[in-house]
Amino acid sequence: MKEQLLALQKACLDAIKKADSSNALQEIEVKYLGRKGELTAILRGVKDLPDAQKPIVGKLSNEVKTVLEEALENKSKELEKEELNKQLQDDTFDITIPGPDRSLGHVHPLSQVQHQVEKIFNSMGFMIMDGPEVESEYYNFEGLNIPAWHPARDMQDTFFIKGKHDKKHGRMVLRTHTSPVQVRTMEKYGAPLRVIVPGRTFRYEATDASHDTTFYQVEGFMIDKNISIAHLKGVLAQFLSSLFGKEVTVRIRPGYFPFVEPGLEVDFSCLICGGKGCRVCKYTGWVEFMGAGMIHENVLKAGGIDPKKWQGWAFGFGLTRLVMMRHGIDDIRLLLGGDLRFINQF
Ligand code: DAH
């Protein structure tokens, strides 16, 4: 039995040595180690041997099996390498042909400007906050001093979420502005604060060249001791000149927003038409840039901040509009329209 096994091992090893292709090697494996293979047959027969021989033959057969398996494995790797080399030699391969062109994506113009805005405000010590896009009626309105009965609710046409109701905070809406993050941040961190909140907002609007149902805003606010509109003017002047890299004319008018007192409108000269009048500036030469004002004491109170000790200002502007100004885009619908011929220009 022993001789038979050793002879089988030798025959198999010889055959492996001579094999000149993966296919030939596979045949050898089947012949010896396959289900009906020669060694397999011997291993199966071990159980019928006399007891004294069982362990000896069993052990030897297993050793032979290991030897053969290793030899097959090594030869298989060797053949694979050879076959690959041969294939490389056979194929004419021109290394000077340029590889396939992979087109790289890039940052959307809205995000590009958002990052720029974040960087400028960051450098002035403002932190960047985020808030939910599906917001409670409380944070979107009541917390900002806009009760349900208030006519100012009509300033922002709102998408209400059907069937969703927060027990504590009322109905749910798609946030109409990023201002709700004011109260959320005050609750979370208390005063003092310097914050900007860039984010996506939604209004139930008829779309045209300057209105879309989805757009981006940046809310900003500062709360500290002895803060005045002078600080707001300073911060805005610094922000706009950093952003545009040149002096931009700004004008401040009185305005009304329920969450500030006094309230302001901040405009700047239209960069598209240079003040002559165009579609974007509605032929006025001025772009309504942002609302602003001193934070109403009811808002500070909603955020758990004592208005006798602290005060501050807030502003909110359309990031989308700013991007349009930056790049001379005269139709807001292009920005989220998904047309690559447009988007790839930035
Ligand atoms: N949330 C206002 C809007 O979307 C913009 C705004 C106006 C924000 C005045 C402010 C502010 O913080 O003081 O129309």
Side-chain angles (χ1 to χ4, degrees), residues 144 155-156 176-180 182 201 203 215 217-221 256-257 259-260 262-264 290-295 313-317:
L144 291 166
M155 289 163 78
Q156 300 181 352
T176 55
H177 47 185
T178 46
S179 310
Q182 271 196 42
T201 52
R203 302 248 178 118
F215 55 100
Q217 280 195 340
V218 178
E219 179 83 8
F221 61 100
Y256 174 73
F257 299 94
F259 28 91
V260 280
L264 307 169
M290 59 165 89
M294 297 302 290
I295 301 175
W313 41 254
F315 64 77
F317 66 83

Side-chain angles (χ1 to χ4, degrees), residues 156-159 176 202-206 212-213:
Q156 300 181 352
D157 294 318
T158 310
F159 288 114
T176 55
F202 310 87
R203 302 248 178 118
Y204 182 60
E205 301 258 25
D212 204 347
T213 52

Side-chain angles (χ1 to χ4, degrees), residues 44-298:
R44 274 212 197 104
V46 169
K47 65 178 188 327
D48 304 324
L49 292 172
D51 279 352
Q53 280 198 38
K54 266 186 204 167
I56 304 165
V57 177
K59 185 162 173 268
L60 186 62
S61 321
N62 276 320
E63 279 167 6
V64 170
K65 191 172 178 218
T66 313
V67 168
L68 296 183
E69 275 170 354
E70 270 173 24
L72 279 165
E73 167 90 17
N74 291 341
K75 183 72 178 187
S76 156
K77 281 190 192 144
E78 214 175 278
L79 284 172
E80 230 171 77
K81 230 190 261 171
E82 270 173 25
E83 277 161 17
L84 188 70
N85 276 340
K86 190 166 174 302
Q87 200 184 343
L88 283 178
Q89 268 167 8
D90 289 352
D91 289 350
T92 34
F93 181 70
D94 182 353
I95 56 160
T96 63
I97 294 174
D101 197 11
R102 280 176 210 279
S103 57
L104 274 185
H106 63 85
V107 180
H108 190 281
L110 273 164
S111 309
Q112 287 174 21
V113 176
Q114 179 180 328
H115 296 160
Q116 236 176 331
V117 170
E118 288 174 359
K119 217 168 149 187
I120 297 170
F121 276 103
N122 246 181
S123 74
M124 292 192 274
F126 284 70
M127 67 172 176
I128 294 150
M129 284 293 288
D130 210 354
E133 289 173 4
V134 180
E135 182 57 282
S136 68
E137 199 172 5
Y138 171 76
Y139 282 113
N140 198 80
F141 294 118
E142 273 94 349
L144 291 166
N145 198 35
I146 321 174
W149 49 265
H150 200 285
R153 283 252 175 144
D154 293 346
M155 289 163 78
Q156 300 181 352
D157 294 318
T158 310
F159 288 114
F160 286 87
I161 307 282
K162 221 178 188 170
K164 263 210 132 196
H165 199 96
D166 183 296
K167 269 206 193 78
K168 196 167 153 215
H169 291 135
R171 287 182 294 179
M172 304 297 282
V173 300
L174 290 188
R175 65 176 177 189
T176 55
H177 47 185
T178 46
S179 310
V181 186
Q182 271 196 42
V183 174
R184 285 183 174 276
T185 310
M186 291 178 204
E187 283 176 344
K188 193 161 180 192
Y189 296 112
L193 284 172
R194 285 184 211 186
V195 181
I196 61 160
V197 188
R200 187 155 39 178
T201 52
F202 310 87
R203 302 248 178 118
Y204 182 60
E205 301 258 25
T207 51
D208 61 27
S210 47
H211 297 87
D212 204 347
T213 52
T214 302
F215 55 100
Y216 288 73
Q217 280 195 340
V218 178
E219 179 83 8
F221 61 100
M222 178 174 184
I223 299 172
D224 212 319
K225 302 233 154 101
N226 303 318
I227 291 298
S228 75
I229 288 174
H231 298 108
L232 172 68
K233 268 188 101 174
V235 167
L236 289 183
Q238 178 66 40
F239 163 61
L240 287 170
S241 29
S242 300
L243 188 77
F244 291 115
K246 64 174 176 204
E247 291 275 311
V248 179
T249 319
V250 171
R251 80 177 178 185
I252 286 182
R253 300 176 278 130
Y256 174 73
F257 299 94
F259 28 91
V260 280
E261 180 60 42
L264 307 169
E265 297 271 1
V266 183
D267 308 336
F268 67 78
S269 51
C270 181
L271 297 175
I272 289 191
C273 62
K276 282 202 290 289
C278 67
R279 240 196 329 163
V280 170
C281 63
K282 297 187 196 129
Y283 303 96
T284 63
W286 291 95
V287 178
E288 290 177 18
F289 180 49
M290 59 165 89
M294 297 302 290
I295 301 175
H296 198 288
E297 64 170 56
N298 287 349

